Amino acid sequence: IANISHDLRTPLTLISGYAEAMRDLPDEMSVENAQIIVDETQRLTTLVNDALDISKLQAGVVELHTARYNLTASLRATVLRMQELVKKDGYRIVLLEGPDVFVCADETKISQAFYNLLINAIQYTGEDKTVYVRQVLDADTVRIEVQDTGEGIAPENLPYIWERYYKVDKTHKRPVTGTGLGLSIVKSILEMHAGGVGVS
């Protein structure tokens, strides 16, 4: 509760501040200020949704709706959406996909996990602002690798990155902000599918 309250306070303060300025000062009625309020409202929504998702996942009350679908096409679509979101800030996502792979899974949940991995990689990638995504086939298994070019994480910190609210570095400044819940949601979703997560 302390963690999520801290994360909620910043967008709430910004929304309140800009709304009051627009109410009290005629010169502050601008498209830019309105956009800040819209952006911070969306950030609040993401925070609340992530908190709800992780609560449901860890309480075991989330149902999987599995069906056979084209994982490769789904990944491609998610990459394209994310690329549109971050390209104005100079980021690029390189997808190395290989042949189309079909899986039996909950497409919405798997897409959410992949989206969270992309957000994390974009936050921490290096000066080249590049993230690489690979689809790797191994017998009857498919692995999706998401790689950034940042400075990495010390070996002693690696086991903790899947925990709720764990952040090695709290100073990153990126176009997509996270909640500290993203990787925990990824792990929970993959475990529900009897899949695995790993990091190096």
Side-chain angles (χ1 to χ4, degrees), residues 1 3 13 28 34 71 84 122 138 170 182:
I1 289 172
N3 274 299
T13 302
E28 294 297 319
L71 174 69
E84 283 300 309
I122 289 163
D138 181 17
K170 297 178 175 64

Side-chain angles (χ1 to χ4, degrees), residues 22-175:
M22 291 168 75
R23 179 194 66 194
D24 299 336
L25 304 166
D27 292 345
E28 294 297 319
M29 289 293 289
S30 68
V31 172
E32 290 78 14
N33 286 354
Q35 188 60 50
I36 288 169
I37 292 173
V38 170
D39 291 344
E40 292 303 315
T41 303
Q42 288 173 342
R43 186 149 76 103
L44 266 181
T45 303
T46 300
L47 284 161
V48 172
N49 285 342
D50 278 1
L52 285 170
D53 285 345
I54 198 66
S55 296
K56 289 178 184 175
L57 286 163
Q58 298 194 334
V61 296
V62 174
E63 288 184 18
L64 288 181
H65 302 284
T66 58
R68 188 174 185 270
Y69 76 96
N70 187 329
L71 174 69
T72 313
S74 182
L75 292 175
R76 193 183 302 126
T78 304
V79 165
L80 285 172
R81 283 197 303 273
M82 181 63 82
Q83 182 68 59
E84 283 300 309
L85 188 64
V86 299
K87 71 178 182 181
K88 67 180 184 299
D89 297 291
Y91 291 85
R92 69 188 188 104
I93 304 168
V94 179
L95 176 60
L96 308 164
E97 57 192 63
D100 280 13
V101 174
F102 288 80
V103 295
C104 189
D106 185 322
E107 183 174 2
T108 302
K109 292 282 183 294
I110 295 294
S111 294
Q112 180 185 10
F114 180 54
Y115 182 81
N116 285 346
L117 286 173
L118 280 178
I119 288 174
N120 188 266
I122 289 163
Q123 284 177 322
Y124 293 102
T125 200
E127 293 301 314
D128 65 356
K129 294 187 173 185
T130 302
V131 170
Y132 296 92
V133 178
R134 293 179 191 85
Q135 174 185 280
V136 181
L137 291 177
D138 181 17
D140 61 348
T141 303
V142 59
R143 183 174 71 248
I144 306 305
E145 298 177 352
V146 179
Q147 177 187 358
D148 64 55
T149 62
E151 62 188 45
I153 300 170
E156 63 269 21
N157 291 326
L158 282 177
Y160 305 109
I161 70 165
W162 308 105
E163 294 182 4
R164 287 177 295 174
Y165 297 110
Y166 183 79
K167 290 181 182 178
V168 177
D169 173 22
K170 297 178 175 64
T171 63
H172 59 269
K173 299 289 184 204
R174 290 294 190 254

